[in-house]
């Protein structure tokens, strides 16, 4: 791990003296929140806590990823409860999902995962919305080609689901246009789109489990829509909190979508498909499943980080003040470059 020195106000330094690590918040150059990470406070006496955080952040190995992910297949509390109380090691893996997945051979099995990996940790920003809109527009074009070229072979149900996806993409792109133009969208409209996306993704996961459509095609659709759901959910939750000072009643329903990726029925479906239909060996098949889980976990932790950041700021004025201070730092760095 690299060491750096931070000059902070005496009040902040006093607070850090009692901590074994500091939570750091990073923003992109447009001052939008990007990601959380943790840093060790080296002058602390809490060596055990320091070592635990150090291991969680630095020990990123494929073997460890497989071991930690295997815990989700064990009994005990519900998946939703376990995802709500992740340890630092699992959270660190979620943040580094792209790096861990690239250690496997998964992208050689599922080529579309390269696109999903390019959207990991994209950040809730104008740039983030623009990149996801670009990907979804490409997906929409692909779906149109599927319907036009094999219309006679596509069932009425599958054609309907493709049309529903196209409509969701158009609605998301409309919201994205407003955000990119700094035009605040009505919260009810954002929430209604989230409700529809949540229902669609949940239904497509069930369709994949029940082999209604091609497992691989359905999985691609799910993994390419989920980043749009995540970035929109994070944006909505932040705006909702600053307007009403609380989380919406639908928060648990929105966040529980990610738990569906960890269902045993999903694991069995993917395991059977890749091992039986695709002749993939057991270890690679489990890496595919773990990659899907990590991508879902990455989306969930990104959303949770957003709402936690908003709650720590408490007021929108404080949040905006942080933006102003960060803007000044960015300008200072630009002048010194």
């Amino acid at each position: 791990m690299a060491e750096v020195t931070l000059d902070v106000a005496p009040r902040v330094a006093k607070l850090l003296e009692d901590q074994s690590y500091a939570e750091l918040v990073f923003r992109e150059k447009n001052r939008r929140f990007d990601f959380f990470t943790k840093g060790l406070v080296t002058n602390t006496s809490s060596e055990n806590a320091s070592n635990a955080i150090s291991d969680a952040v630095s020990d990123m190995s494929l073997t460890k990823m497989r071991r930690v992910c295997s815990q989700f297949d064990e009994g005990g509390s519900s998946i939703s409860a376990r995802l709500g109380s992740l340890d630092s090691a699992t959270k660190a893996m979620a943040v580094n999902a792209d790096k861990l997945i690239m250690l496997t051979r998964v992208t050689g099995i599922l080529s579309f995962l390269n696109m999903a990996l390019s959207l990991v940790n994209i950040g809730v920003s104008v740039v983030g919305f623009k990149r996801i809109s670009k990907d979804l527009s490409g997906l929409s074009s692909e779906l149109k080609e599927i319907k036009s070229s094999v219309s006679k072979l596509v069932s009425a149900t599958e054609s309907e689901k493709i049309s529903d996806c196209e409509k969701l993409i158009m609605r998301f792109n409309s919201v994205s246009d407003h955000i990119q133009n700094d035009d605040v969208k009505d919260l009810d409209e954002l929430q209604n789109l989230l409700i529809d996306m949540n229902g669609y993704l949940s239904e497509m996961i069930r369709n994949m489990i029940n082999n209604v459509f091609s497992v691989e095609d359905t999985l691609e659709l799910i993994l390419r829509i989920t980043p749009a759901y995540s970035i929109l959910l994070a944006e909505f939750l932040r705006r909702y909190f600053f307007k009403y000072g609380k989380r919406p009643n639908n928060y648990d329903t929105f966040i529980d979508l990610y738990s569906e990726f960890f269902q045993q029925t999903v694991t069995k479906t993917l395991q059977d498909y890749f091992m039986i239909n695709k002749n993939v060996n057991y270890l690679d098949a489990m890496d595919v499943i773990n990659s899907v889980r990590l991508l879902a976990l990455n989306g969930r932790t990104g959303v949770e980080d957003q709402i936690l950041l908003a709650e720590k700021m408490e007021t929108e004025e404080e949040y905006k003040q942080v933006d102003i201070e960060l803007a000044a730092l960015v300008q200072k760095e630009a002048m010194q470059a």
Side-chain angles (χ1 to χ4, degrees):
M1 298 178 67
E3 292 187 4
V4 297
T5 300
L6 296 177
D7 292 325
V8 297
R11 179 177 63 87
V12 177
K14 181 64 177 175
L15 291 173
L16 289 176
E17 287 178 1
D18 299 324
Q19 303 295 323
S20 60
Y21 65 91
E23 292 182 328
L24 306 177
V25 179
F26 285 84
R27 301 260 180 132
E28 296 178 344
K29 288 191 175 181
N30 57 15
R31 304 192 308 282
R32 295 282 185 167
F33 170 67
D34 190 8
F35 66 94
F36 277 108
T37 189
K38 298 183 190 301
L40 298 180
V41 178
T42 56
N43 63 346
T44 178
S45 60
S46 181
E47 291 300 325
N48 291 335
S50 297
N51 291 336
I53 296 300
S54 178
D55 290 343
V57 175
S58 63
D59 188 14
M60 289 290 106
S61 71
L62 190 54
T63 300
K64 186 171 183 178
M65 181 269 281
R66 289 167 176 160
R67 184 175 69 250
V68 173
C69 286
S70 69
Q71 297 174 6
F72 290 110
D73 295 320
E74 300 172 358
S77 58
S78 68
I79 288 295
S80 180
R82 278 182 276 173
L83 292 183
S85 55
L86 297 176
D87 59 23
S88 57
T90 309
K91 286 184 177 179
M93 285 200 309
V95 172
N96 290 277
D98 52 340
K99 299 179 181 65
L100 285 168
I101 292 172
M102 290 305 296
L103 294 176
T104 72
R105 295 186 291 188
V106 170
T107 54
I109 301 170
L110 297 175
S111 59
F112 63 80
L113 269 185
N114 286 301
M115 179 57 70
L117 294 180
S118 71
L119 300 177
V120 167
N121 298 328
I122 196 170
V124 184
S125 64
V126 170
V127 174
F129 272 95
K130 186 174 182 178
R131 284 183 60 187
I132 290 179
S133 287
K134 182 178 179 180
D135 175 56
L136 291 184
S137 296
L139 175 60
S140 182
S141 297
E142 293 171 25
L143 294 176
K144 284 182 171 61
E145 289 180 7
I146 291 174
K147 286 201 301 184
S148 61
S149 62
V150 293
S151 57
K152 293 182 180 180
L153 302 177
V154 176
S155 68
T157 303
E158 187 170 357
S159 180
E160 179 184 352
K161 292 300 118 185
I162 289 176
S163 296
D164 289 344
C165 185
E166 290 175 321
K167 292 174 185 176
L168 287 176
I169 290 173
M170 291 178 68
R171 290 170 63 190
F172 177 88
N173 284 343
S174 174
V175 169
S176 180
D177 285 340
H178 281 270
I179 290 174
Q180 291 178 55
N181 294 322
D182 199 25
D183 181 14
V184 178
K185 204 73 167 164
D186 182 74
L187 281 175
D188 286 339
E189 188 170 352
L190 296 184
Q191 182 158 213
N192 287 335
L193 176 53
L194 282 168
I195 290 171
D196 289 343
M197 293 179 79
N198 181 288
Y200 182 81
L201 286 168
S202 186
E203 182 181 5
M204 293 305 289
I205 291 173
R206 290 195 301 273
N207 287 337
M208 182 177 68
I209 293 170
N210 296 320
N211 291 300
V212 176
F213 312 128
S214 161
V215 170
E216 198 165 336
D217 290 344
T218 308
L219 182 61
E220 177 178 5
L221 205 60
I222 292 168
L223 292 182
R224 292 182 70 175
I225 295 294
T226 300
Y229 175 81
S230 298
I231 195 173
L232 183 63
L233 178 55
E235 180 78 8
F236 167 73
L237 291 175
R238 187 177 63 202
R239 293 189 181 195
Y240 188 96
F241 178 81
F242 284 134
K243 183 172 183 178
Y244 298 109
K246 62 179 183 179
R247 301 182 183 190
N249 290 330
N250 282 327
Y251 176 80
D252 288 340
T253 302
F254 286 144
I255 210 73
D256 277 348
L257 172 73
Y258 301 101
S259 302
E260 298 189 32
F261 290 85
F262 293 80
Q263 297 176 88
Q264 286 303 300
T265 46
V266 170
T267 299
K268 187 178 186 306
T269 297
L270 295 178
Q271 201 172 52
D272 289 349
Y273 174 77
F274 286 104
M275 292 182 67
I276 298 173
N277 297 68
K278 303 290 288 186
N279 294 317
V280 172
N281 66 57
Y282 174 79
L283 197 58
D284 285 344
M286 287 309 300
D287 281 345
V288 170
I289 294 167
N290 290 335
S291 295
V292 171
R293 291 168 169 176
L294 282 177
L295 289 172
L297 204 56
N298 181 274
R300 173 173 173 140
T301 54
V303 171
E304 289 176 327
D305 284 350
Q306 281 291 318
I307 188 63
L308 288 173
L309 177 65
E311 289 171 343
K312 287 180 179 179
M313 294 298 177
E314 294 185 352
T315 66
E316 191 168 10
E317 288 71 25
E318 185 178 355
Y319 185 91
K320 289 180 178 179
Q321 182 60 37
V322 172
D323 264 357
I324 293 172
E325 293 173 0
L326 287 170
L329 287 173
V330 170
Q331 185 176 6
K332 181 179 179 180
E333 291 173 357
M335 294 176 63
Q336 293 176 344

